[in-house]
Amino acid sequence: EPEVTQTPSHQVTQMGQEVILRCVPISNHLYFYWYRQILGQKVEFLVSFYNNEISEKSEIFDDQFSVERPDGSNFTLKIRSTKLEDSAMYFCASSLGTGVGSYEQYFGPGTRLTVT
Amino acid sequence: GNSVTQMEGPVTLSEEAFLTINCTYTATGYPSLFWYVQYPGEGLQLLLKATKADDKGSNKGFEATYRKETTSFHLEKGSVQVSDSAVYFCALNGANNLFFGTGTRLTVIP
């Protein structure tokens, strides 16, 4: 069964450093998403991406964040200058569409980011 | 705006006990509602869904009914197993994203 994969599973970085979290969505999916979960808090939407552009983003997704689909398979989230409060589990997801019947989002196992 | 409020955890049950995890929501419009499950070391998996009022979603013995009058989507299972130990997330869909609750950790002991 196809699945979303994410690398690395755990990333430790120092405050101020740039990090890139990588995701490989399901191959025939067209919509891609990033979510995060700070320990003990809700899973929060960051950004959705379709047709090589951002379709929606939350207020969390500020200028420090960017997303890219550099080739036909990868979908990346970059944080330019990490802060302590960026420490969280980051989930990538993909879906075939956004209409009823095609909107199921398939999630990866997550990348735990720890900023020290 | 859209939000989901979920029963606080953790929940510990003995095998074969009855499970209820409460979920209520606020939403603009008529969202679809979901329960996702996360087993240890894995990603979020869709457990069940309901797309309109009075729909019942079901899967693997779990059920939830979309109640518009009480804005609820409570998850139930009649007899839990050790293998059901996981974190359960209630969610609703926005235009391009999902709104999640905080998750409820369920531990089932033999």
Side-chain angles (χ1 to χ4, degrees):
Chain A
E1 186 175 331
E3 59 182 15
V4 176
T5 59
Q6 289 185 243
T7 54
S9 56
H10 190 192
Q11 173 91 47
V12 181
T13 189
Q14 289 191 324
M15 198 166 50
Q17 295 297 304
E18 174 184 285
V19 293
I20 298 176
L21 309 183
R22 300 179 194 282
C23 169
V24 178
I26 294 173
S27 61
N28 64 333
H29 283 187
L30 302 175
Y31 291 79
F32 314 112
Y33 312 84
W34 283 102
Y35 293 81
R36 78 172 186 191
Q37 186 181 29
I38 295 171
L39 190 64
Q41 298 185 25
K42 295 187 177 193
V43 176
E44 301 171 293
F45 168 73
L46 294 178
V47 65
S48 60
F49 191 85
Y50 169 70
N51 200 26
N52 281 319
E53 40 181 57
I54 291 173
S55 49
E56 188 169 343
K57 61 182 180 179
S58 71
E59 63 274 10
I60 302 168
F61 194 87
D62 61 21
D63 292 345
Q64 291 300 308
F65 292 88
S66 62
V67 288
E68 192 178 29
R69 189 153 163 82
D71 52 42
S73 59
N74 289 283
F75 179 52
T76 62
L77 174 70
K78 182 194 291 187
I79 309 175
R80 288 192 182 79
S81 177
T82 50
K83 304 191 265 293
L84 292 176
E85 54 265 36
D86 294 326
S87 295
M89 180 73 88
Y90 288 80
F91 293 105
C92 174
S94 68
S95 67
L96 194 56
T98 57
V100 173
S102 62
Y103 49 61
E104 178 180 344
Q105 294 185 21
Y106 291 79
F107 284 78
T111 293
R112 179 167 297 286
L113 176 65
T114 302
V115 182
T116 62
Chain B
N2 294 323
S3 70
V4 175
T5 301
Q6 200 174 325
M7 174 179 170
E8 293 281 337
V11 174
T12 302
L13 293 173
S14 298
E15 206 165 22
E16 299 183 4
F18 184 84
L19 168 72
T20 301
I21 300 177
N22 289 338
C23 171
T24 57
Y25 68 91
T26 57
T28 53
Y30 302 98
S32 294
L33 301 174
F34 308 84
W35 278 99
Y36 277 80
V37 59
Q38 186 178 29
Y39 299 104
E42 299 184 18
L44 298 168
Q45 301 173 24
L46 180 65
L47 179 61
L48 53 84
K49 65 186 180 193
T51 58
K52 60 183 188 298
D54 300 325
D55 265 4
K56 178 187 282 189
S58 61
N59 186 26
K60 299 181 182 179
F62 291 89
E63 292 182 340
T65 302
Y66 190 147
R67 300 280 187 207
K68 188 164 166 246
E69 62 277 12
T70 54
T71 62
S72 65
F73 192 56
H74 304 321
L75 182 69
E76 296 182 335
K77 186 173 185 183
S79 176
V80 294
Q81 306 301 312
V82 172
S83 58
D84 294 327
S85 297
V87 182
Y88 293 82
F89 294 89
C90 186
L92 63 84
N93 70 297
N96 288 300
N97 59 299
L98 293 170
F99 293 87
F100 285 90
T102 51
T104 301
R105 181 175 297 280
L106 170 66
T107 302
V108 181
I109 53 178

